[in-house]
Amino acid sequence: MSPHLSKVVVRAPATTANLGPGFDVFGMALEDPCDKVTLIPAPNSIIKIEVNGAFSSSIPLDPNMNTAGVVAEHIIKEFSLKTGILIKIDKGIPPGIGLGSSAASAAAVAFGLNRMFDLRLENNQLVRLSAKGEVASAGFEHADNVSAAIYGEFVIIKSYDPPQIVHLKAPPNLSLCVAVPRVPPTPKKTEKARSILPKMVSMDKVRHNVGHAASLAVGFAVGDVKLIGSSMSDVIVEPARATMIPGYSLVKDAALKAGACGVAISGAGPSMIAVIDENETSPTNVAKAMKDGFKRAGVDSEVFLTKPGKGVSLLEER
Ligand code: HSE
């Protein structure tokens, strides 16, 4: 199969995963930041990766170590594409902070190759292929970030095999505050954050998480920001991971006190994300409170406001 296009440029958003009780199941796309990925057919089945942007120095260029390269290789093999591919990544999403940086590049490649070769893949198939890339960064094919990057807004992964995704819009008054602590990067952070999770879980904890996850999903379905926020409670994964984030409790308490409806670790962290009903609470006040929370733990942080955003989109093709 040969390419129909000589160039495709794709935008892929940052995402947050888990939202508390939905480990590997809930994801949400953010309005910003984003990656821009350009795909150009190349000769001799060679996959070549170039990375530009402020965070490029920490992104692997070896296609087997880079989520985008891994996804491209899978797609080329699975669909017997007679091509190589040049992948130029303009990296706008900082890696290693829990905002789905690796997922964005992976989703962009799946989306872009689908167009370039007119593969006519449904979104759930793009999720399956993009999730293959997550092995390069997390050691596991978790699909929450890539699903949110592909579908946009809020997603629930009902099933991994076969991939079944439930897609819901976010309420318009839902605002988000992300606090990113300036801590030294943890090598293989997501793998480490997964390795410390409990291997056995008591039924009362399962009951708590299922109840809160179900309520959070209903919150999106009916557009109730308070129900979404108050359901962001996880007694299985977050207690283990909180130990990796200096100031976790201070930041959480400060955000809730400032009026946030709920707070969770974003993905595998170390960023923390607050859900705010902007009709009732000033997002700027929550931002100040979260920054102050980290400061009281002796940690500098970068804090920014955003909203739920759209999924991967086409910027240019020819
Ligand atoms: N669900 C994944 C995890 C997200 O928590 O490990 C990683 O970004």
Side-chain angles (χ1 to χ4, degrees), residues 11-86:
R11 176 195 185 277
T15 50
T16 186
N18 303 339
L19 285 100
F23 177 69
D24 281 359
V25 164
F26 290 160
M28 185 161 56
L30 311 185
E31 236 170 38
D32 47 75
C34 69
D35 280 1
K36 241 194 265 173
V37 177
T38 303
L39 301 175
I40 298 172
N44 304 330
S45 310
I46 286 171
I47 298 175
K48 184 165 188 269
I49 298 179
E50 292 174 7
V51 189
N52 299 303
F55 313 105
S56 52
S57 57
S58 50
I59 309 293
L61 298 179
D62 176 349
N64 298 312
M65 309 283 283
N66 182 303
T67 54
V70 171
V71 173
E73 201 171 323
H74 264 281
I75 294 179
I76 287 172
K77 261 199 200 134
E78 185 169 323
F79 298 96
S80 308
L81 307 180
K82 301 278 173 276
T83 188
I85 200 89
L86 169 61

Side-chain angles (χ1 to χ4, degrees), residues 26 94 112 115-116 162 238:
F26 290 160
R115 285 196 80 88
M116 183 173 275
E238 282 214 11

Side-chain angles (χ1 to χ4, degrees), residues 17-18 22-26 98-100 134 138 142 144-145 160 189-190 193-194 197 237 241 266-269:
N18 303 339
F23 177 69
D24 281 359
V25 164
F26 290 160
L99 291 182
E134 292 289 35
H142 68 89
D144 40 7
N145 291 100
Y160 268 73
K189 184 250 332 181
T190 304
R194 297 179 78 89
L197 300 182
V237 173
R241 288 182 170 175
S266 183

Side-chain angles (χ1 to χ4, degrees), residues 116-133:
M116 183 173 275
F117 290 89
D118 196 22
L119 300 174
R120 298 171 191 215
L121 298 170
E122 303 278 351
N123 278 351
N124 64 337
Q125 290 306 317
L126 296 182
V127 165
R128 178 181 64 80
L129 292 160
S130 314
K132 306 238 175 258

Side-chain angles (χ1 to χ4, degrees), residues 13-30 98 100 103 142-158 160 165-170 174 176 216-217 220 228 265-267 273 308-309:
T15 50
T16 186
N18 303 339
L19 285 100
F23 177 69
D24 281 359
V25 164
F26 290 160
M28 185 161 56
L30 311 185
H142 68 89
D144 40 7
N145 291 100
V146 293
S147 297
I150 284 171
Y151 285 82
E153 307 257 343
F154 177 67
V155 292
I156 303 167
I157 302 177
K158 180 183 166 197
Y160 268 73
I165 318 296
V166 179
H167 178 218
L168 292 167
K169 290 242 169 284
L174 193 162
L176 297 164
L216 189 144
F220 276 98
I228 294 169
I265 299 174
S266 183
I273 188 158

